[in-house]
Each structure stands twice: as C-alpha cells, then as structure tokens.
Amino acid sequence: MTLSKTLPIVAALTALPTMGLAQDAEVLPVSSEVGFIFNTFMFLVAGFLVFWMAAGFAMLEAGLVRSKNVAMQLTKNIALFSLAAIAYYLIGYNLMYPGDGWTIDGILGAFSTAGLEPVGLEGAEPDLTYASVGSDFFFQLMFCATTASIVSGTLAERIKLWPFLFFVIALTAFIYPIQASWKWGGGFLDGMGFQDFAGSTVVHSVGGWAALAGALTLGPRIGKYKEGRTVPFMGSNLPLATLGTFILWLGWFGFNGGSQLYMNTAGNVADISRIFSNTNTAAAGGAIAALILTQLLYKKVDLTMVLNGALAGLVSITAEPLTPSLGAATLIGAVGGVIVVFAVPFLDKLKIDDVVGAIPVHLFAGIWGTIAVVLTNHGETTSIGTQLYAILVVGIFTFVVSGAIWFILKMTVGIRVTEEEEVQGLDMAELGMEAYPEFTN
C-alpha cells in the first residue's frame, strides 16, 4: 500500500478517540448537576440497604418465635412492608413532608398522594442542591416500614393477622408520618431545636411505643407467666436469628449514613464515613456489654441478649452518629446493651410479653440514644430539656393513639386468636401451612 493511500486511514483512526470524546461530552452532566446526581445516588444505595433490614427483621423474628408460628411471622413481615409502601405513597409522604402545604402549621401536614418528577425531568425545574423526589421518597419509605417491623415481633404468636395489618396501615399512613413531620418535616419540634439525626425517637421509639400499647392490650402468651415466674419459650432457630441481626447491622449503615442527606462535598463524604464507623462500633459496644453482663449475672452467656445488645447499640447511636468520637460511640452503644439486659426481665416482672425484645431494644434504647445526643452534640439549640420534651410528646401521642386503635380493634373484630389456635400454632390456625412441616413444637 502506498503512502498516499495510508495517510487518510491513519488520520481517520487518529480522529476516532476525539470523535468519541465529543459524543461523550454531549451526555456528561453540567457542573451544577453533579451534587444532585451524587445525593440521589446516595439515597438510592442507602435506601436499598435499609430495605435489606426488612429481611433482617423477618429472619430475626422467624428465629426467635417457636416453629409453629414461623410462617405467620414471615407472612406478617412481607405484608407489612407492602402495605407500608402503598400507605406511605397514598397518605404518609406528604403528611410527613408537606413543604408549605401544612393543614395545621407545624403540626399536621398535607393530605395528598406522593408524585415523582416527569420522565427525564422534562419540563421540570428540580432543586439541584438536593436530590430527586423519587430517591427521597424511596429512602424515607424504608424508615416508615421499619417502624412497622418493630411492632410485629413484640406481638408474635397470639395476634390475628388481619387486625394487625389494619394497625400497620394506620401506623404507616398516619401515626408515623404525623409525628415525623414534627421533626423531619420542619414542624414544631424541629423549630424548638430537637435533635434526632436518624430516628432513635422518630422511628425506633415510635415502633416501641406502638408495640407496648399492643402488648398491653393483647396480653401475654398462654403459659408465659405461671405462679409468679417467667417460663422461657425457646426460639425455633438461633442461627436464623443471628443472621437476621447481622443483616440489620448491615442495613443500619444505610439507615444512619443516608441520613447525612448530602454526598456532594468532600466534607459530607467524610462525615458519612465517620457515621459508618460510629454506627459499627456502637453495635459492637452493645454486643460486648450484653456478652459480659449476662456472664456476670447468669454465669452463662445468653446469645439472644447479645443479639439484642448489638441492636440496642445501633438504636442508641442513631439519634447522633456523627459527632461522637469512636470511644464515645462505643460507650453509648454499650449503655444500650446494658439497658436490654435489665429491661427484658423488668418487662417480664410486669407480665408484659415481648416475644423478641423489641420494646427494650427500640423504645428503651431509643430514649437513651435521644438523651445521649447532648453528650456529644454541643450545638446552640441542643438541650436536655428539649430532648426530654420531644421524647414525652412523641411518646404520649404514639402510645395514646396506638392504644386507642388497638382497643377499638379488640372491641370490634378482636385481635387475639382463640386459646385452641394459639396452642396449635398460628401457622396452621391462620395460614393452613407450616414453615417446618417435618417438625412439631
């Protein structure tokens, strides 16, 4: 081939990378969109990590109930998550984040369904300093569903399926969004300076208060308390409960890390990594505290206490996972683990039957975590008085409304299965199928 023929080919090949770069440049985001893209991406990733917590709750509960009730717990968990998704879309999201559309300013949000941006943002003018509406909705929904999951474990082994699911609708459509709007929606608690970074009170204590109201209305399982003593009911599968705990531990990185809300600067990214580290060490602190304390008190380590100790550590750090040092975060989590070890037998003395220990983990440790904010967050608006006031307001609202709904359900359709059905197990009595058909318990 002559030189005159090869030169055009070489020139064309040389131009190809330039042509490719020119095409790529047409789809590259402008600088003003980069923060919006990273924030949206963070919400989506954090959101599906929190979604994975639904599997954690399902596995934890399936492992801690008796084998004759496992299929019911699994049914409740997938049903409650699905109902939460619909209820939050139809009512909850805008009730929680009304913007300028408050029905009662600072107290009651807007009554309208959630809506997303148009495809490709065509004709829209999004807030490029934040994230897409779709990613925000997806992320916030996961928190709403988590609140309902907390209630499921406490009331296991004796509650009817459909009344429970009706309560889930009320919780996720109204109770949770209303009180969450008071802080995260810019309501009156936020205006007072209340601090709750990722929801020790807004999410976890709310689930705990709702569970406590349900447990008091429902009563304990048959044979749980006899002649002044507590009869232990062993769970069906401790490996499954342990797996559920690790899944929840993993999901909590999205729970707390995503609550930074922004991933658009080096500072925000550094803060997210700090939150991850503090979240992890708080869980470790809670687990180790429960490990040592059960050995000292009972002369043997109690695995279920260690599992709940880790979860209590996670709940404890959720109200403020950013400002503590690693040492402080470890101690905050450790106190949560100690709370669980003492709170579980305390509830048994009161004959409050909490099958999986959700009330000590989510309510008691949630209260502690909200108070502990003042130990490391020294902002101008942070005060112990405001924290206690918010705990009280949210607690009274959630407990009273939840108790009223449970009472109405009890007086109308009934919330508890018959004694015969409870002894038989809810798997066969309510579902007609068993999780472990080869075994009986």
Side-chain angles (χ1 to χ4, degrees):
M1 185 178 292
T2 64
L3 181 62
S4 60
K5 292 182 178 180
T6 58
L7 284 175
I9 298 174
V10 172
L13 291 173
T14 305
L16 282 177
T18 305
M19 293 169 61
L21 288 173
Q23 292 172 346
D24 292 342
E26 294 177 1
V27 297
L28 286 175
V30 297
S31 59
S32 61
E33 295 180 349
V34 173
F36 178 87
I37 292 169
F38 275 103
N39 293 342
T40 296
F41 179 75
M42 179 197 67
F43 275 142
L44 295 176
V45 172
F48 70 63
L49 279 172
V50 183
F51 166 78
W52 191 228
M53 292 175 70
F57 278 113
M59 296 301 96
L60 178 67
E61 293 173 23
L64 293 181
V65 301
R66 290 169 288 181
S67 59
K68 62 184 180 181
N69 297 307
V70 171
M72 172 58 82
Q73 286 309 110
L74 299 176
T75 301
K76 284 163 60 180
N77 273 273
I78 194 166
L80 71 85
F81 185 89
S82 302
L83 287 170
I86 303 302
Y88 196 63
Y89 148 62
L90 290 176
I91 302 173
Y93 183 65
N94 282 331
L95 199 57
M96 182 171 166
Y97 292 106
D100 296 327
W102 291 90
T103 302
I104 302 175
D105 190 38
I107 298 176
L108 186 63
F111 288 90
S112 59
T113 59
L116 308 179
E117 297 105 336
V119 175
L121 294 178
E122 184 176 355
E125 295 182 3
D127 179 5
L128 295 179
T129 65
Y130 189 51
S132 71
V133 174
S135 67
D136 184 65
F137 169 81
F138 177 74
F139 181 63
Q140 298 300 336
L141 165 62
M142 301 305 141
F143 284 63
C144 180
T146 296
T147 308
S149 296
I150 295 167
V151 183
S152 173
T154 294
L155 309 180
E157 301 199 321
R158 75 268 200 206
I159 193 168
K160 293 180 180 179
L161 175 62
W162 289 104
F164 170 77
L165 295 181
F166 181 86
F167 180 81
V168 166
I169 295 172
L171 178 65
T172 56
F174 298 102
I175 299 173
Y176 169 78
I178 288 174
Q179 62 80 34
S181 74
W182 298 343
K183 166 56 186 174
W184 292 342
F188 74 98
L189 290 179
D190 184 59
M192 294 177 61
F194 172 48
Q195 302 296 323
D196 191 1
F197 191 92
S200 287
T201 286
V202 172
V203 177
H204 294 283
S205 79
V206 167
W209 285 116
L212 177 60
L216 291 173
T217 308
L218 191 61
R221 290 167 289 176
I222 296 171
K224 180 63 178 177
Y225 305 111
K226 286 185 177 180
E227 300 174 354
R229 64 187 181 91
T230 300
V231 179
F233 289 166
M234 301 306 295
S236 63
N237 193 324
L238 290 182
L240 207 59
T242 305
L243 173 64
T245 301
F246 274 116
I247 292 173
L248 287 166
W249 192 326
L250 171 65
W252 231 287
F253 297 129
F255 201 97
N256 287 355
S259 295
Q260 177 68 13
L261 302 182
Y262 294 91
M263 197 177 74
N264 55 354
T265 66
N268 280 321
V269 173
D271 282 352
I272 292 170
S273 66
R274 183 182 177 96
I275 290 166
F276 272 44
S277 298
N278 282 338
T279 298
N280 186 69
T281 199
I288 295 301
L291 181 82
I292 295 172
L293 194 54
T294 53
Q295 178 68 53
L296 294 174
L297 293 176
Y298 308 124
K299 309 306 177 186
K300 292 182 180 179
V301 172
D302 185 329
L303 173 60
T304 61
M305 287 287 196
V306 176
L307 299 178
N308 275 333
L311 296 177
L314 289 162
V315 171
S316 299
I317 201 64
T318 293
E320 184 49 271
L322 175 60
T323 57
S325 66
L326 283 171
T330 306
L331 292 175
I332 289 169
V335 173
V338 171
I339 287 171
V340 163
V341 174
F342 287 110
V344 169
F346 171 72
L347 288 180
D348 282 332
K349 287 183 179 180
L350 298 177
K351 296 184 178 180
I352 299 174
D353 189 9
D354 180 354
V355 177
V356 303
I359 295 171
V361 168
H362 298 278
L363 175 54
F364 294 171
I367 291 173
W368 153 243
T370 306
I371 294 171
V373 169
V374 301
L375 301 177
T376 63
N377 184 331
H378 304 300
E380 292 181 4
T381 61
T382 307
S383 74
I384 185 65
T386 300
Q387 297 299 103
L388 291 172
Y389 177 78
I391 291 168
L392 189 64
V393 168
V394 171
I396 292 173
F397 169 77
T398 305
F399 184 77
V400 170
V401 176
S402 297
I405 295 172
W406 286 124
F407 181 76
I408 292 170
L409 289 171
K410 181 179 181 179
M411 292 296 101
T412 53
V413 297
I415 60 175
R416 184 160 186 155
V417 299
T418 66
E419 182 175 344
E420 180 182 356
E421 290 171 332
E422 185 175 340
V423 172
Q424 179 188 15
L426 274 61
D427 286 4
M428 289 303 298
E430 288 258 290
L431 303 178
M433 64 176 66
E434 295 176 300
Y436 306 113
E438 298 87 355
F439 305 98
T440 57
N441 186 13

